[in-house]
Amino acid sequence: MILIVDDTPENLISLKKVLERHNFEVDTASSGEEALRKVLKTAYVLIILDVQMPGMDGFEVAEAIAGYSKAKETAIIFLSAANTELNFITKGYSSGGLDYITKPVDINILLLKVKTFYRIYEQSRKLIEIQKTLLEEIETRKRAERKKDEFISIASHELKTPLTSVKGYVQLLERSVDKGDIPTVKKHLVKAQLQLDKLNDLIADLLDISKIESGKLKFNKKYFNLNVLLDSIIEIIHQSNPEFKITKTGHVPEEIFADEMRIEQVVVNFLTNAIKYAPGTNEVHLTVKAEDARVTVAVRDFGIGIQPEQQKSVFDKFYRVEETSIHFQGLGIGLYISAEIIERHGGTVGVNSTLGEGSEFYFNIPVISITETD
């Protein structure tokens, strides 16, 4: 918007009409004081300012505007009919003006200058936007690098833990074998197998991350019974966590078309997280329903819950809630992988959580998923 400041009404009207005919948005002020009030409320691209006005003259207005931080970048063109001496023009520039036009105004010259200032303004704005985008990109990359470094540190620790345990159990096995203590040998073998299973799961997650990053995460879609799959998962999870009661409600009346192994991977991730992050509880609810050619599966725990501001980030790569990362092991990539799997099925994932009362993680996919392409 352009602000024209002149104490002569006919000058205001004529200049306003000319500029509006050329599609410029124009505002007017009949005194320096009124101009300052308007500048405080409105951002202007350009101010056309008459020098000789009663009260505050144009130079004083320009100096006052220059002292206002939000208007420092506003261009000012001075208009004067009285004095074209060099020292007078110099004062105009030193007061904050970027150009000087004498009266009577040559409209063609004024229009040329106005268009030039608008073009400079647009270019400046675009440069600022580009600079802002670049700074945001730099900051995003810095955060990603920090997350990556943190992840490498966590991954090293998480991989080393089961390896160290397996090494310890192998040493214990050697001693027990030498003594012929078969019951103890079996006990150590079971514990070593559990640690190897953990190691296998960690490596599988790392491989999935690599496949996602390279676009090589493959899917084998077919028709299968989701109800049977969920019952099987619950049975397996219950065997390793007998103290937990997993209650399933709902039923899908038809087979779905999806990657059975990958859907199992997501449900297992949701259930193991529900148990892992709900210490002191012994109940998990799994709900499944079909509606409008889509299937929803939700897993509800009664554990520690998640802060509202953290809920939007739980599916991000390498994200781990700071409070829980101290107490619970994990790479922080299971939910990210789950989200990628569901999105590649044309679905969505989400979480509802109340701090101290538990969380519900859910996904929603089409009964027939044909959106994913390899």
Side-chain angles (χ1 to χ4, degrees), residues 342-358:
I342 296 303
E343 286 172 14
R344 294 277 291 275
H345 277 78
T348 57
V349 293
V351 59
N352 299 311
S353 184
T354 302
L355 199 63
E357 297 182 12

Side-chain angles (χ1 to χ4, degrees), residues 86 89 119 143 188 194 232 259 284-285 300 312 369:
L86 181 61
I89 294 173
R119 187 166 59 251
R143 285 197 300 269
H188 291 329
L194 287 173
S232 174
D259 187 314
V284 173
H285 293 174
R300 169 88 162 91
K312 63 180 180 295
S369 172

